[in-house]
Amino acid sequence: YYNGILVSNVLLERIGGVSMDEDLRNQYIGEARFLRALFHFNLTNLWGAIPLATTSDLATLSTLPRTAQDDIYAFVESELTEAAILLDGVDHGNKVRVNEWGV
């Protein structure tokens, strides 16, 4: 799960420097936020208080304290709310990518 969170964080931190269509950028950001929320949700359901990883900096990640489960749930809710907005109206034409209904 934390590998998926790391990949999502890298994308979210670096996508601003990539020249691309704005709709596609929003789609990728929405998908990354959905996955980051899903991974944190699954982890906190398994182990309760977990480190909340919102950066790709390995030095920071290695020293993160555990975050209360209620705070993780609040983070997940805010991520999903933002992801739903970014993915509003996105039609992938297939069932393997998330859209606002999946969020």
Side-chain angles (χ1 to χ4, degrees), residues 24-35:
L24 187 59
R25 179 189 318 276
N26 287 340
Q27 176 185 333
Y28 289 159
I29 292 170
E31 291 172 347
R33 292 183 90 145
F34 167 78
L35 288 172

Side-chain angles (χ1 to χ4, degrees), residues 29-30 33 76-87 103:
I29 292 170
R33 292 183 90 145
V76 167
E77 185 176 348
S78 70
E79 285 288 279
L80 293 178
T81 300
E82 183 63 27
I85 292 168
L86 291 167
L87 294 171
V103 173

